[in-house]
């Protein structure tokens, strides 16, 4: 037996693979189990071409055994095994994968897929082991061989004894340090958890001797420890079963088992795609908002598997931000994985899967809206805000995707309605989709600005989310109908009041100019109102920036100093206007008092802050004495 150097560029290459490629030490077990699964698959492939070989699936398994006393962890399989030459080539040359070569030579597409691609996964064992020993006996060979290494210094190969075909890898686990606890990789519960996390859907049984207890014979109330060999992985994932075999309860149980949420999912989407892109997926639309959903700590993404092996816990690239509430998993073949099998390279396959998933989610939501309205409204209460953010983001790039999913409270229906439902009910003479913004439905219903629109019998959408108006500005129009705020200067409603208000404007031009002078810098103009019926005063706006948008922008952390172009509208048919005219004729001081009072009233109606509350209260007192 002689020591051999690794056939690689330098010791540094192995050290880099051991210390840098993998972000989590527990990954080593996933890699070794994946290699063991490959070894069994290779026998299966050979059996397809060799009639003398019979592949009986029940005879093949992977065994994980921990020995705390000797600090060893052993992973054994009943796979194809390796000859001396294969040990030399596969384990002596870093980044040379026997699985990859076998895969190229045996392109069989029947659901059995070789996982290994790069041949570096084996070396992840050195993250937790100070010594790695491999004893392997190849199919058709009478001689077994032992490969052993302590890391970058090299390895040895010598003949060994092994009764059965397969490979046995024994890791001498490192001693604990102040920074690292290696004992965890000898703990039964920890090993079982790692297997369930990453290798639960390996096709072959992964067995462990599980500790239990049973009543001790002849001793009342006493128990003795037992060891029982158990299969710890599920093997057949739910997403590879026929949909017809599965019940709603099966999907709910899967949702709970994977801890996607503590709620019950509203709907699931089971995808089995076999076309330009091949993948399976199970997606869930949750019922409730996660506690951290609208925080920067929330991490979106789907679990990503490659041939049943977990590659990423959260693959963010599979979901657009506006569908970030969706939970679930994707399992695909032939992904362009990077060398550590932990991250994904951006490729056409992933892009196609993401596009398909986006379309499936939208289709499911539309179906829910159409056929299960109550469920959709439950969903929308939790996640409607996210859809609106999706419309607003990226300058409205996704508005066509999302606008049919939006809902707003209706003045007419007294419930949430879609834009399509609103437009369908519009009278022929109605030019715009009208909306009003405010903190709540109750406050919006009391806004003076809604009077004329409601009096015409037109429906108003109530915007109570701070994102609503910003999202609508991105949509601009829906089915060729533009959106119009009820506080806009021009409502597009022609009636006899228009002509009357124009006449009043001209007739009282001097009064309105005097009031505008009193409110210099606060309003752009003072006008006779076309929209007020019973209220004395209100504020309207000119330009794109509305009062509600001004409030929201000012409330942001960066405190943007923005100002909507406000117009003070006066109801010339209200008794208050008579007092204004009288003051203008005889008492300029009283005109200033009344003007400021009306302006501050208009601010309060809008939920805006009165600039000088003390002066405001003093002004009220003046008219009381």
């Amino acid at each position: 037996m002689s020591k051999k150097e690794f056939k690689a560029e330098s010791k540094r290459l192995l050290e880099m693979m051991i210390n840098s490629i993998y972000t989590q030490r527990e990954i080593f077990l996933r890699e070794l189990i994946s290699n063991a699964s490959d070894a069994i698959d290779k026998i299966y492939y050979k059996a397809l071409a060799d009639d003398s070989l019979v592949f009986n699936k029940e005879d093949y398994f992977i065994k994980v055994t921990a020995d705390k006393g000797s600090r060893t962890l052993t992973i054994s399989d009943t796979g194809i095994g390796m000859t001396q030459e294969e040990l030399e080539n596969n384990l002596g040359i870093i980044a040379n994968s026997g699985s990859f070569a076998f895969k190229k030579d045996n392109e069989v597409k029947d659901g059995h897929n070789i996982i290994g691609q790069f041949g570096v996964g084996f070396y992840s064992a050195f993250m937790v082991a100070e010594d790695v020993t491999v004893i392997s006996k190849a199919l058709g060979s009478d001689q077994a061989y032992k490969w052993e290494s302590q890391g970058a210094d090299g390895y040895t190969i010598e003949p060994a004894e092994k009764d059965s075909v397969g490979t046995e890898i024994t890791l001498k686990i490192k001693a604990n340090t102040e920074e690292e606890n290696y004992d965890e990789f000898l703990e039964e519960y920890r090993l079982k958890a790692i297997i369930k996390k990453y290798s639960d859907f390996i096709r072959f049984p992964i067995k462990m001797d599980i500790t239990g207890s049973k009543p001790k014979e002849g001793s009342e109330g006493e128990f003795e420890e037992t060891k029982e060999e158990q299969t710890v992985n599920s093997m057949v994932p739910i997403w590879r079963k026929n949909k017809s075999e599965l019940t709603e309860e099966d999907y709910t149980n899967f949702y709970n088992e994977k801890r996607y949420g503590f709620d019950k999912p509203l709907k699931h989407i089971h995808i089995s795609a076999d076309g330009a892109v091949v993948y399976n997926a199970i997606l869930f639309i949750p019922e409730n908002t996660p506690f951290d959903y609208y925080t920067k700590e929330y991490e979106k993404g789907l679990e990503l598997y490659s041939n049943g092996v977990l590659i990423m816990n959260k693959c963010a690239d599979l979901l657009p931000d506006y569908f970030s509430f969706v939970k679930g998993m994707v399992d695909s073949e032939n992904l362009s994985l990077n060398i550590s099998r932990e991250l994904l390279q951006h490729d056409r396959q992933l892009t196609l899967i993401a596009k398909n998933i986006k379309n499936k989610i939208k289709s499911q939501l539309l179906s829910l809206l159409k056929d299960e309205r109550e469920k959709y409204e439950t969903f929308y209460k939790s996640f409607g805000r996210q859809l609106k953010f999706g419309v607003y983001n990226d300058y409205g790039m996704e508005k066509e995707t999302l606008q049919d999913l939006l809902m707003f409270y209706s003045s007419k229906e007294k419930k949430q309605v879609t834009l399509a439902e609103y437009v369908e009910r519009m009278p022929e003479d109605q030019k715009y989709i009208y909306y009003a913004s405010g903190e709540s439905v109750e406050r919006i219903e009391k806004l003076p600005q809604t009077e004329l629109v409601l009096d015409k019998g037109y429906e108003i959408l109530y915007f109570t989310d701070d994102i609503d108006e910003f999202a609508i500005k991105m949509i601009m129009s829906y089915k060729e109908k533009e959106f119009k705020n009820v506080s806009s200067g021009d409502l597009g409603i022609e009636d006899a009041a228009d002509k009357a208000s124009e006449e009043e404007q001209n007739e009282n031009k001097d009064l309105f100019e005097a009031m505008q002078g009193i409110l210099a810098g606060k309003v752009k103009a003072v006008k006779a109102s076309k929209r007020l019926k019973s209220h004395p005063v209100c504020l309207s706006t000119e330009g794109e920036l509305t009062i509600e948008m001004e409030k929201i922008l000012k409330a942001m952390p960066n405190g943007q100093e923005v100002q909507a172009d406000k117009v003070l509208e006066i109801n010339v048919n209200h008794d208050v206007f008579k007092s204004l005219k009288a003051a203008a004729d005889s008492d300029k001081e009283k005109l200033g008092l009344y003007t400021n009072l009306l302006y501050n009233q208009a601010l309060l109606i809008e939920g805006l802050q009165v600039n000088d509350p003390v002066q405001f209260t003093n002004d009220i007192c003046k008219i009381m004495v």
Side-chain angles (χ1 to χ4, degrees), residues 108-149:
V108 183
K109 295 186 179 179
D110 62 347
H112 283 65
N113 295 283
I114 303 298
I115 300 167
Q117 287 187 43
F118 299 101
V120 299
F122 169 78
Y123 301 98
S124 63
F126 288 104
M127 291 193 296
V128 300
E130 61 188 29
D131 182 280
V132 178
T133 302
V134 180
I135 298 175
S136 191
K137 186 176 182 180
L139 182 69
S141 174
D142 295 326
Q143 181 64 58
Y145 289 90
K146 181 171 80 170
W147 180 99
E148 188 171 6
S149 175

Side-chain angles (χ1 to χ4, degrees), residues 448 532 535-539 568-571 597-599 601-602 605:
L532 292 175
H535 295 274
V537 68
C538 75
L539 287 172
L568 187 68
E569 294 197 9
I570 307 296
N571 184 354
L597 276 172
L598 286 171
Y599 172 69
Q601 284 179 30
I605 289 169

Side-chain angles (χ1 to χ4, degrees), residues 42 90 96-106 114 116-117:
K42 287 173 184 176
N90 295 342
N96 183 52
S97 171
S99 293
F100 185 67
F102 190 95
K103 191 175 184 180
K104 286 178 70 177
D105 294 339
N106 298 271
I114 303 298
Q117 287 187 43

Side-chain angles (χ1 to χ4, degrees), residues 338-546:
N338 70 8
I339 198 168
S340 66
R341 265 209 309 244
E342 286 184 304
L343 302 171
L344 208 63
Q345 295 169 351
H346 296 282
D347 70 347
R348 182 172 174 272
Q349 180 94 344
L350 184 67
T351 303
L352 286 172
I353 292 173
K355 183 180 179 182
N356 197 353
I357 283 174
K358 180 186 81 171
N359 293 336
K360 291 283 186 181
I361 294 169
K362 180 186 175 182
S363 177
Q364 182 65 76
L365 289 174
L366 286 172
S367 174
L368 207 61
L369 174 61
K370 180 184 175 185
D371 302 324
E372 298 178 81
R373 181 63 170 248
E374 195 173 323
K375 276 191 177 182
Y376 187 81
E377 288 179 4
T378 300
F379 152 77
Y380 197 79
K381 187 176 180 181
S382 295
F383 302 107
R385 183 182 178 88
Q386 189 66 16
L387 300 182
K388 296 168 192 173
F389 272 115
V391 170
Y392 176 70
N393 276 349
D394 297 323
Y395 304 100
M397 255 179 63
E398 296 293 334
K399 66 181 182 181
E400 298 294 333
T401 302
L402 298 171
Q403 60 188 12
D404 289 326
L405 296 171
L406 300 183
M407 298 181 81
F408 302 96
Y409 187 87
S410 160
S411 63
K412 185 169 283 187
E413 298 296 312
K414 305 299 180 188
K415 63 179 183 180
Q416 298 279 346
V417 300
T418 66
L419 297 177
E421 289 165 346
Y422 180 102
V423 170
E424 204 173 285
R425 287 192 293 269
M426 282 176 64
E428 284 186 26
D429 65 336
Q430 186 177 335
K431 296 178 182 178
Y432 300 107
I433 298 172
Y434 292 102
Y435 68 88
S437 298
E439 292 174 14
S440 66
V441 168
E442 292 73 26
R443 289 199 66 160
I444 294 173
E445 284 181 327
K446 295 174 182 177
L447 285 177
Q449 293 92 326
T450 63
E451 284 190 306
L452 177 61
V453 178
L454 293 175
D455 194 52
K456 287 287 290 182
Y458 296 160
E459 188 173 358
I460 300 174
L461 297 177
Y462 291 174
F463 289 0
T464 53
D465 266 348
D466 52 12
I467 189 65
D468 286 348
E469 199 164 4
F470 292 91
I472 287 303
K473 294 285 184 186
M474 286 297 173
I475 296 177
M476 293 191 293
S477 66
Y478 181 81
K479 294 190 177 178
E480 300 180 354
K481 295 289 184 180
E482 290 182 23
F483 293 90
K484 180 73 74 172
N485 191 315
V486 295
S487 296
S488 296
D490 178 19
L491 289 174
I493 298 174
E494 302 292 337
D495 65 2
D498 282 6
K499 190 174 180 182
S501 63
E502 284 174 19
E503 290 174 358
E504 290 285 356
Q505 185 70 31
N506 294 328
E507 192 177 315
N508 297 285
K509 183 180 176 184
D510 293 341
L511 168 61
F512 293 139
E513 285 180 356
M515 293 176 72
Q516 188 174 337
I518 295 166
L519 299 173
K522 296 177 182 177
V523 297
K524 190 174 181 181
V526 179
K527 292 181 179 179
S529 180
K530 300 176 183 179
R531 76 191 79 223
L532 292 175
K533 300 291 181 181
S534 60
H535 295 274
V537 68
C538 75
L539 287 172
S540 62
T541 56
E542 293 180 359
E544 287 298 307
L545 189 66
T546 66

Side-chain angles (χ1 to χ4, degrees), residues 154-165:
Y155 63 94
T156 61
I157 296 180
E158 61 180 324
E161 294 295 323
K162 191 175 189 305
D163 294 334
S164 57
V165 171

